Amino acid sequence: MGVSRPLELRFLQSASDARQLPESRCEVALVGRSNVGKSSLLNAVANRKGLARTSKAPGATRLLNVFEWVDEPGCWLVDLPGYGFAKAPKAERQHWQQMMDGYLIDRPALTEVLFLVDGLVGPTPLDVQTIQWLTHHHVTLRPVATKADKVKPSRRQARRTELAQGLGIDDSAILWTSAAKGQGIPELRAELAATLRLNS
């Protein structure tokens, strides 16, 4: 498989609880705050604009949305609801959090979490809290900065340093991406293919 070939993904199902999902071979989850661009990144990885639902209003993803890699049946990308700014009743937001916690801690096939941070504005306190929570629960993380094209060229190196320091990780550990411009997308596709195949 060429490193820049889009991953052929198909929507498999949505679920309000991880216990509703069938068994899989391997799963990579996308985690990040509302409007970080998870759905846009999924669409870019697959090179399909309408695969995952995108919205200008934060909080479009409200369920666990499963996308299966056609080349490797049983290998999934799972889009989780964003945290932080979704316009929804408090009880619904609490349900989302419980759903995500249950999935991230108890899902046996979960191999890795793509931890998405807005490259222009992050990390927010919620981003820091979330990465600390994931680290505490020994979840394997792949930090990914989104919206790299929004950062002015004169600010890029400083922004990289600020983002890494804010998350408490090394700058080299973060993959910078732009779903709009394609930056970092070939590398992300190659990483995802290798992770899903290796762990399936």
Side-chain angles (χ1 to χ4, degrees), residues 125-139:
L126 269 174
D127 290 325
V128 175
Q129 179 182 335
T130 302
I131 198 171
Q132 290 173 345
W133 183 89
L134 291 166
T135 301
H136 174 74
H137 288 283
H138 307 290
V139 176

Side-chain angles (χ1 to χ4, degrees), residues 37-86:
K38 290 185 285 84
S39 297
S40 295
L41 196 70
L42 257 176
N43 290 339
V45 165
N47 195 29
R48 285 181 57 194
K49 287 185 178 180
L51 179 66
R53 179 186 172 195
T54 61
S55 172
K56 291 183 180 179
T61 302
R62 301 193 173 204
L63 299 166
L64 301 169
N65 290 321
V66 178
F67 300 88
E68 185 173 55
W69 187 19
V70 174
D71 288 11
E72 296 284 348
C75 293
W76 298 352
L77 297 182
V78 184
D79 189 13
L80 274 63
Y83 52 81
F85 299 102

Side-chain angles (χ1 to χ4, degrees), residues 9-10 12-13 18 20-30 42 65-69 72-79 103 107 109-112 192 196 200:
L9 302 174
R10 70 179 185 96
L12 190 64
Q13 73 172 89
Q20 298 171 353
L21 298 174
E23 291 185 7
S24 71
R25 294 163 55 199
C26 178
E27 298 171 27
V28 173
L30 284 79
L42 257 176
N65 290 321
V66 178
F67 300 88
E68 185 173 55
W69 187 19
E72 296 284 348
C75 293
W76 298 352
L77 297 182
V78 184
D79 189 13
Y103 172 81
R107 187 68 180 169
L110 179 62
T111 299
E112 181 179 80
L192 287 170
L196 291 169
S200 62

Side-chain angles (χ1 to χ4, degrees), residues 9-188:
L9 302 174
R10 70 179 185 96
F11 174 72
L12 190 64
Q13 73 172 89
S14 295
S16 59
D17 191 301
R19 290 171 293 187
Q20 298 171 353
L21 298 174
E23 291 185 7
S24 71
R25 294 163 55 199
C26 178
E27 298 171 27
V28 173
L30 284 79
V31 172
R33 70 182 182 89
S34 296
N35 79 349
V36 74
K38 290 185 285 84
S39 297
S40 295
L41 196 70
L42 257 176
N43 290 339
V45 165
N47 195 29
R48 285 181 57 194
K49 287 185 178 180
L51 179 66
R53 179 186 172 195
T54 61
S55 172
K56 291 183 180 179
T61 302
R62 301 193 173 204
L63 299 166
L64 301 169
N65 290 321
V66 178
F67 300 88
E68 185 173 55
W69 187 19
V70 174
D71 288 11
E72 296 284 348
C75 293
W76 298 352
L77 297 182
V78 184
D79 189 13
L80 274 63
Y83 52 81
F85 299 102
K87 293 180 180 179
K90 183 177 180 181
E92 186 174 355
R93 294 199 306 270
Q94 289 176 336
H95 169 71
W96 294 351
Q97 191 62 51
Q98 292 170 355
M99 171 179 66
M100 291 166 61
D101 291 356
Y103 172 81
L104 291 167
I105 296 173
D106 298 328
R107 187 68 180 169
L110 179 62
T111 299
E112 181 179 80
V113 164
L114 293 187
F115 181 70
L116 274 55
V117 181
D118 189 316
L120 183 62
V121 303
T124 66
L126 269 174
D127 290 325
V128 175
Q129 179 182 335
T130 302
I131 198 171
Q132 290 173 345
W133 183 89
L134 291 166
T135 301
H136 174 74
H137 288 283
H138 307 290
V139 176
T140 301
L141 296 174
R142 178 49 165 131
V144 176
T146 62
K147 307 180 187 178
D149 59 299
K150 304 290 187 183
V151 181
K152 294 179 180 178
S154 61
R155 284 281 300 149
R156 283 176 186 163
Q157 188 51 54
R159 191 81 276 274
R160 287 172 179 268
T161 301
E162 291 164 0
L163 191 70
Q165 290 178 346
L167 292 174
I169 58 179
D170 190 80
D171 180 15
S172 63
I174 302 172
L175 175 63
W176 281 76
T177 65
S178 165
K181 302 296 185 182
Q183 178 183 338
I185 300 303
E187 293 86 350
L188 183 57

